[in-house]
Amino acid sequence: MPDKAPLSSAPSPGPDLDLRLVRYFTVVAEHLNFARAAAALHVAQPSLSRQIQRLEDALGVRLLERTPQGSTLTAAGAAFLPQAQALLHNARHAVTTARDAAPPRTITVGYVEDLVITLAVRDLRRRFPTAHVRTRHLDWDEARALPDGRVDALVLRTPLPIPADGLQVTVLYDEPRALLVPTDHRLAGEESLTSADFADEPLVACAGMAAVWTGFWRLDPRSDGSPAPLGPLLVDTFEDKLEVVADGRAVALVPVGDRRCFLRDDLVTVPVEDIEPCQVVVATRHADPHPLLGPFRACAKENLVRGA
């Protein structure tokens, strides 16, 4: 009796590609310069380099060669580029197709970090009981969900972590900034501060953020044009920022109402009087005809007031 043919094994799945990393690669490939690509993406250049490295690690190939004059595509990078562009195009088409097939009067509202939108969403559902109102919590580095079409409206703080071109921004309220320090810090017992009180203190910076965002939260440059003192390290998350401050290695500026600061009894916030506040806003895509966006803005302006 002849031997049975061996059963063929299923092909192993390829790597799970992060579309954000793929998009970063296409922008670097367009500019062939990490500094210009980082500026176009509104991210820090070191963070962009790390993200491209993550993509190369996932693929198991080198996509770009870095030189002092710029960057060039490797053979693998040149082969991957048209596929990456097609992948991004297909992803956008998939989002549009899904949105077009959704029931009418469906809206997805995103909200960033510690902000709470319950009252506005509840009011919108009350006004439009047949509407399908969905919510989506996002981290600070996921705000591109708005221009990418994954959310219809986004509640977040200024300065925006994404380019404002193509967006309509509605201000809900101003939110002062406060200095976050350990409870045993020399300034912890003050009722309020001015920027001069902590001019020599290093402020924590988050990795991967655009220069305008980082400068706003580090007061960099200072009012006299001098650079802000450098902290001991960059952090990737807000929780890491809290750890650095609690350990006494730096201080940080935070929104005065950031709820996460009050979850720890080893930290305290002190209002800063002489710096401009941040703002809590609703951002939507410019000229988006979605029928529920106007009502949501109204609900947000009525319900999402400071201290709510």
Side-chain angles (χ1 to χ4, degrees):
M1 180 180 295
D3 293 336
K4 292 183 179 180
L7 295 175
S8 61
S9 59
S12 59
D16 293 329
L17 292 182
D18 184 333
L19 290 181
R20 182 181 60 166
L21 304 186
V22 175
R23 184 173 65 86
Y24 283 3
F25 165 71
T26 62
V27 176
V28 176
E30 174 188 350
H31 292 275
L32 291 179
N33 182 286
F34 272 79
R36 290 197 294 269
L41 289 164
H42 288 251
V43 300
Q45 184 176 338
S47 176
L48 179 59
S49 296
R50 289 195 297 270
Q51 303 311 319
I52 296 299
Q53 181 64 59
R54 284 180 55 197
L55 178 61
E56 291 176 329
D57 291 343
L59 294 173
V61 297
R62 192 168 185 83
L63 300 173
L64 293 150
E65 293 291 352
R66 287 77 160 175
T67 71
Q69 291 73 36
S71 299
T72 59
L73 291 170
T74 65
F80 181 61
L81 179 58
Q83 302 297 325
Q85 293 167 331
L87 181 63
L88 294 173
H89 172 77
N90 290 336
R92 288 190 292 269
H93 179 69
V95 170
T96 302
T97 301
R99 286 170 55 88
D100 290 344
R105 300 167 75 87
T106 296
I107 184 172
T108 302
V109 180
Y111 58 107
V112 176
E113 297 280 306
D114 68 299
L115 294 172
V116 176
I117 60 172
T118 305
L119 294 177
V121 170
R122 182 184 298 159
D123 192 14
L124 186 65
R125 287 174 175 149
R126 180 187 60 80
R127 299 185 191 190
F128 299 90
T130 62
H132 186 195
V133 183
R134 299 177 296 190
T135 61
R136 181 170 182 177
H137 181 261
L138 300 170
D139 291 330
W140 61 265
D141 59 349
E142 296 179 301
R144 280 210 62 86
L146 177 60
D148 288 349
R150 288 175 282 135
V151 299
D152 300 298
L154 188 59
V155 179
L156 72 170
R157 291 184 177 94
T158 60
L160 300 183
I162 53 176
D165 299 343
L167 299 182
Q168 178 178 339
V169 178
T170 301
V171 176
L172 300 180
Y173 59 88
D174 290 348
E175 184 175 20
R177 287 181 281 173
L179 190 70
L180 181 70
V181 296
T183 52
D184 59 356
H185 191 275
R186 63 182 178 84
L187 299 174
E190 300 294 329
E191 291 188 3
S192 64
L193 301 170
T194 66
S195 56
D197 294 324
F198 54 93
D200 296 328
E201 298 267 3
L203 277 85
V204 184
C206 284
M209 296 306 294
V212 63
W213 193 96
T214 300
F216 182 84
W217 289 108
R218 295 190 66 246
L219 297 183
D220 190 16
R222 295 295 164 84
S223 58
D224 61 359
S226 61
L230 293 174
L233 74 167
L234 293 172
V235 298
D236 292 313
T237 68
F238 190 86
E239 289 69 24
D240 291 335
K241 178 186 288 189
L242 298 183
E243 284 296 328
V244 171
V245 174
D247 196 38
R249 290 181 286 170
V251 297
L253 281 173
V254 296
V256 74
D258 195 310
R259 304 161 194 268
R260 295 166 295 181
C261 299
F262 305 114
L263 299 178
R264 301 183 55 143
D265 57 10
D266 54 351
L267 298 173
V268 65
T269 58
V270 185
V272 181
E273 302 292 349
D274 65 337
I275 59 176
E276 65 176 305
C278 59
Q279 294 178 318
V280 175
V281 304
V282 176
T284 58
R285 292 179 292 276
H286 182 69
D288 189 330
H290 196 299
L292 290 176
L293 287 179
F296 176 72
R297 290 190 199 97
C299 292
K301 292 181 74 172
E302 184 174 334
N303 293 279
L304 302 185
V305 296
R306 183 181 170 191

